[in-house]
Amino acid sequence: MGSAARQPLFSFGVIADVQYADIPDGRSFLGVPRYYRNSILVLQRAVETWNQHGNLKFVINMGDIVDGFCPKDQSLAATKKLVHEFEKFNGPVYHMIGNHCLYNLPREELLPLLKIPGCDGIAYYDFSPTPEYRIVVLDGYDISAVGWPQDHPNTIAALKILEEKNPNSEKNSPAGLEDVERRFVKYNGGVGEKQLQWLDSVLQDATNSNQRVIVCGHVPMSPGVASKAALLWNFDEVMNIIHKYDSVKVCLSGHDHKGGYFVDSHGVHHRSLEAALECPPGTYSFGYIDVYENKLSLVGTDRMKSTDFES
């Protein structure tokens, strides 16, 4: 094997759940420390490191750029500040929306700030960094109780799901829900019918073009990779479409903070990335992924664990 065989087709940077806010450190609902001001330093170190690498084609941010506890009069400024930090990367940056983004700003304000293409609030898209590969970015808050106007059909559909599936008056609480039913909480969301059809057509197109596919979404898509309370509402419908095609090798997500790795029964690799927000000062969580013809390799920094995805 010559050196060319060992060269990746391309590489790209990854980071998840920066959740910056100019507020004192706090804790999650489960008591895990959160370092709201430090997270921007994690991002700055990430961008420096990516630029030093010198050969990253793009960066993907897995969502939740600003925390929900960010004072609302600072939401816009904080989001702009973080986007500005990302833009110090010497190359394209692709964002996706997470629940914390939507706690801060409505979709119509958020999408242009994050330079997410599409109209009518649509936040799912795909791109092809090289002829061999397609990157698909899903919108896990398509059907959601946050982010859309209150009278929007997607809000109404989400509230109906929560009403049917979650008996708690506090819809962010999974109390009393069993196993994967714990996902029916307000901070998760679902992929709507139109987006499911779009996903199917993109995967069909990628298959016809002999492309391999990396699927990215803020919310994890397999119970094996994340807490049962941090799953896409209709992960089963999404995975049924993905499993129809051999082209999808990896599903990347954020949202669950602790990170996880799981290979499902169809051989799809799921990797939920460790959150930047939970890095104590002086520690970091980011990385880059080397993409080869038949494998991917995540090279993690510090708290982000390195992972090889053989396919």
Side-chain angles (χ1 to χ4, degrees):
M1 275 173 71
S3 62
R6 288 194 295 274
Q7 288 296 316
L9 295 167
F10 65 96
S11 306
F12 64 96
V14 287
I15 194 166
D17 299 273
V18 177
Q19 289 184 222
Y20 170 78
D22 186 9
I23 56 172
D25 296 341
R27 288 180 184 273
S28 74
F29 185 67
L30 299 169
V32 180
R34 293 184 162 183
Y35 305 93
Y36 297 108
R37 290 189 176 116
N38 185 67
S39 69
I40 197 169
L41 303 180
V42 178
L43 173 59
Q44 286 166 342
R45 172 67 64 93
V47 172
E48 271 167 41
T49 308
W50 293 329
N51 283 336
Q52 281 162 2
H53 180 286
N55 202 19
L56 298 180
K57 213 168 170 69
F58 57 92
V59 159
I60 289 196
N61 162 35
M62 303 302 301
D64 279 2
I65 195 168
V66 172
D67 195 84
F69 283 132
C70 175
K72 293 303 156 278
D73 59 345
Q74 294 172 27
S75 290
L76 185 59
T79 304
K80 284 180 171 169
K81 179 174 172 171
L82 271 284
V83 167
H84 178 67
E85 291 299 333
F86 270 105
E87 285 177 347
K88 292 178 184 174
F89 171 67
N90 302 328
V93 177
Y94 295 94
H95 293 280
M96 63 196 77
I97 50 176
N99 49 314
H100 282 267
C101 310
L102 296 169
Y103 299 151
N104 279 283
L105 294 168
R107 265 174 190 262
E108 67 266 21
E109 275 186 68
L110 196 59
L111 301 191
L113 278 176
L114 300 179
K115 300 188 170 56
I116 292 175
C119 49
D120 298 331
I122 287 173
Y124 50 88
Y125 59 96
D126 68 302
F127 63 98
S128 182
T130 63
E132 303 90 344
Y133 266 86
R134 183 88 63 107
I135 313 281
V136 170
V137 177
L138 295 180
D139 173 10
Y141 294 92
D142 190 6
I143 305 298
S144 168
V146 287
W148 297 102
Q150 277 305 282
D151 58 353
H152 195 283
N154 294 3
T155 309
I156 293 162
L159 292 172
K160 186 167 181 277
I161 290 167
L162 289 170
E163 199 51 54
E164 283 172 11
K165 301 286 189 181
N166 187 330
N168 298 308
S169 56
E170 169 50 78
K171 297 300 180 192
N172 273 319
S173 168
L177 299 176
E178 296 289 326
D179 198 47
V180 294
E181 295 296 301
R182 292 174 66 79
R183 72 189 187 277
F184 291 110
V185 285
K186 194 174 173 180
Y187 58 76
N188 298 327
V191 167
E193 193 53 51
K194 207 169 146 189
Q195 186 179 176
L196 290 171
Q197 290 166 3
W198 170 84
L199 174 63
D200 199 14
S201 68
V202 168
L203 296 183
Q204 183 64 65
D205 187 54
T207 301
N208 296 346
S209 311
N210 267 331
Q211 290 176 318
R212 288 164 182 263
V213 180
I214 299 167
V215 174
C216 304
H218 180 65
V219 192
M221 296 162 241
S222 167
V225 77
S227 140
K228 306 286 191 290
L231 276 176
L232 201 59
W233 286 346
N234 58 338
F235 74 88
D236 43 354
E237 286 185 294
V238 170
M239 290 316 301
N240 283 345
I241 292 172
I242 287 173
H243 288 151
K244 278 168 49 181
Y245 301 97
D246 287 335
S247 50
V248 181
K249 300 303 170 193
V250 176
C251 294
L252 299 174
S253 60
H255 194 49
D256 196 35
H257 292 198
K258 68 182 184 298
Y261 174 59
F262 177 71
V263 183
D264 71 24
S265 57
H266 288 72
V268 176
H269 298 250
H270 296 261
R271 181 72 171 82
S272 143
L273 300 174
E274 292 79 6
L277 174 67
E278 292 184 1
C279 295
T283 67
Y284 300 95
S285 180
F286 58 86
Y288 63 89
I289 295 179
D290 287 329
V291 179
Y292 301 88
E293 205 157 321
N294 52 5
K295 75 161 195 164
L296 280 79
S297 180
L298 166 60
V299 182
T301 294
D302 202 0
R303 293 169 67 92
M304 190 173 287
K305 297 181 187 76
S306 295
T307 317
D308 277 326
F309 314 95
E310 303 285 345
S311 58

